[in-house]
Amino acid sequence: MTDKKQGKELRTDNLVKIPYFDEEAAQDYLDMRNGGHLDWSTDENKERLGKIIGEIEADIGGGINILSMLKASFQGKGDMGYSSIVSKVVDSKLQNTLLTDYLARANGDDNVYKFESVTVAPYPNSFTMYKMFSSYLTIVPKEQMPIDMEKLNQAILGERGYYEMIVDDGNKKSVLRFNINAFRNNYNLADFLKMKLTYYGVPVGKLNLENLKIENEFNYINKPERVSAEMVLGDVIEESVDECTVYDVIIAGVSHE
């Protein structure tokens, strides 16, 4: 993991592909840093908005009043097919603006951690591992399976929205947690096993890696500590607890040197 104070900052143009971007988390971060939603009434943001609109109009074609087109779309008027194209262009531009704004802020924030050009792996017998392997089993015809995989997946995974991966930078292990709805361009968890990516994440807590196993997932009940002879005599041997920091991933990107 890069030390934010000592490592070089990763500029936006160092990222050449973004297979994962949690837009809602990024927007929440920017809103909090801005003291609320972005104020488009300031001169600086008016200039930015004008630039965005100009880029959208250039992409769609000259002679189009983008504001009038959007207004007609919201009111249910105009060519629906054309409005859909406009909507996609607008979404793309705003998404790119959100991405660059987030990186500009995050690169100077010691509370946002970077894991540069690392690989990740699922913890053995975890929900993440089950999720990855079960997706391959769904391609087998139902009549050839002894059980209904769709119903089994629903029973085991339910409405689970986040999945954990392990990253080991050589000094210590950390847990990266992914929003299953933030993957882009048809990427998925299994794809990340074969990629070296740079991750931006925020720490959200700690856990013992053993608790990632399916059978231990909900085993958080504090058991009473047993008193041993060694404890009474003061000769206590500390047990090694594989506890790691958990980071919610905001961006995963392919970067060049």
Side-chain angles (χ1 to χ4, degrees), residues 56-90:
I56 293 172
E57 291 178 341
D59 286 348
I60 296 174
I64 301 297
N65 187 319
I66 187 65
L67 293 179
S68 298
M69 175 64 71
L70 289 175
K71 183 178 180 181
S73 297
F74 292 143
Q75 294 175 347
K77 301 176 182 179
D79 187 327
M80 295 304 294
Y82 195 75
S83 295
S84 176
I85 295 174
V86 172
S87 178
K88 289 180 180 178
V89 174
V90 171

Side-chain angles (χ1 to χ4, degrees), residues 228-247:
S228 64
E230 290 81 3
M231 294 175 66
V232 173
L233 297 174
D235 187 17
V236 180
I237 301 175
E238 292 187 2
E239 294 184 2
S240 176
V241 178
D242 204 2
E243 189 176 64
C244 300
T245 302
V246 181
Y247 297 85

Side-chain angles (χ1 to χ4, degrees), residues 122-169:
Y123 194 73
N125 301 320
S126 63
F127 278 109
T128 301
M129 177 167 279
Y130 176 84
K131 169 71 174 177
M132 289 192 297
F133 283 105
S134 65
S135 62
Y136 290 110
L137 293 177
T138 57
I139 65 175
V140 180
K142 287 185 177 181
E143 57 272 14
Q144 297 181 20
M145 293 291 292
I147 56 176
D148 189 323
M149 285 303 301
E150 291 184 6
K151 290 184 178 179
L152 180 62
N153 288 344
Q154 181 61 33
I156 295 178
L157 301 177
E159 300 299 324
R160 190 180 185 86
Y162 283 84
Y163 291 87
E164 298 85 5
M165 292 278 219
I166 310 301
V167 59
D168 188 346
D169 64 3

